[in-house]
Amino acid sequence: MKRLLDLLLAGAALLLLWPVLLLVALLVRIKLGSPVLFRQTRPGLGGRPFQIVKFRTMRDAAGPDGRPLPDAERLTRFGRFLRASSLDELPELLNVLKGDMSLVGPRPLLVQYLERYSPRQARRHEVRPGITGWAQVNGRNAITWEEKFELDVWYVEHRSVMLDLRILWLTIASVLRREGVSQPGHATMEEFMGSQARPERDSKGGTQ
């Protein structure tokens, strides 16, 4: 039922939003150059890798040593708008159609994080990663990594079609408010280095 919902809604969204996709792609090409799409390997269901596809939001810029500048310095005003409005996520609808992702689920993070998860945190990979999720409508990037992962696990333990529909509805409100887009001084959040030294929080299911 969840996969059918993903196919129907993702397909309908692509049909309805193709003019927006085309316009954003054109603006990215003009303001940030080529390539228009950002591709990166992320862990999916069971930790298996896949290529996530998003609109590019950062410029190519390097320091005197030739190394790329920090993400926060390469993120342009236009890129911040794309992220705040979640327009950069629209190409992920193609990942949903391919079966790499779901509309709703824990966000796919970096491959190097896999070995840093506690056994409980690693349960977030028991379901397909999502374009949006329970953590995204409960603080997004304004909460700690531990809180985010606990919300992800709560979703894994309580997932249902009705919960997915609720999260999709709450996502619309969250995007309109543009809350919790990033932590101060970071393009999104600071790098997750592991939380073995910090106690895990109890599961929480409430919406902030």
Side-chain angles (χ1 to χ4, degrees):
M1 187 67 180
K2 179 178 175 67
R3 180 61 184 149
L4 178 61
L5 183 68
D6 282 341
L7 291 172
L8 290 176
L9 293 183
L14 283 171
L15 287 175
L16 291 172
L17 297 175
W18 72 263
V20 177
L21 285 160
L22 190 61
L23 176 60
V24 173
L26 179 61
L27 291 173
V28 171
R29 181 68 177 82
I30 293 172
K31 293 179 176 293
L32 298 175
S34 183
V36 169
L37 295 177
F38 168 78
R39 301 174 185 271
Q40 189 178 55
T41 300
R42 300 284 179 92
L45 178 64
R48 292 186 293 273
F50 73 97
Q51 286 283 308
I52 194 171
V53 183
K54 305 172 68 173
F55 280 124
R56 181 182 178 189
T57 58
M58 296 186 188
R59 61 190 177 94
D60 293 324
D65 57 359
R67 296 182 179 180
L69 293 175
D71 289 353
E73 295 182 37
R74 294 189 294 123
L75 186 62
T76 65
R77 183 177 179 182
F78 174 65
R80 289 190 181 90
F81 166 74
L82 291 181
R83 292 192 177 196
S85 61
S86 295
L87 289 172
D88 65 315
E89 310 281 0
L90 289 181
E92 292 172 34
L93 292 168
L94 297 173
N95 287 122
V96 174
L97 291 182
K98 287 175 60 180
D100 295 327
M101 295 179 64
S102 175
L103 290 174
V104 179
R107 284 293 298 165
L109 301 175
L110 300 178
V111 173
Q112 58 262 37
Y113 289 1
L114 287 173
E115 62 184 17
R116 302 174 187 175
Y117 294 138
S118 69
R120 178 168 177 79
Q121 291 168 349
R123 293 196 60 200
R124 66 194 309 276
H125 291 288
E126 293 179 12
V127 297
R128 285 187 180 90
I131 295 179
T132 186
W134 191 232
Q136 279 59 55
V137 298
N138 280 281
R140 203 170 176 178
N141 293 322
I143 57 179
T144 66
W145 281 116
E146 285 74 22
E147 290 170 327
K148 185 188 293 283
F149 294 148
E150 196 58 42
L151 288 165
D152 288 340
V153 175
W154 186 92
Y155 171 79
V156 170
E157 295 174 340
H158 297 84
R159 63 188 185 276
S160 68
V161 172
M162 291 305 298
L163 179 58
D164 281 7
L165 292 174
R166 180 186 177 191
I167 291 172
L168 289 172
W169 175 253
L170 291 172
T171 296
I172 296 173
S174 178
V175 169
L176 291 176
R177 291 195 302 266
R178 300 186 183 182
E179 295 176 348
V181 178
S182 63
Q183 291 182 337
H186 297 277
T188 49
M189 291 185 69
E190 63 180 346
E191 183 178 356
F192 174 64
M193 301 305 297
S195 54
Q196 292 82 356
R198 287 172 286 186
E200 293 181 351
R201 297 174 181 269
D202 294 332
S203 298
K204 57 186 292 188
T207 302
Q208 296 180 355

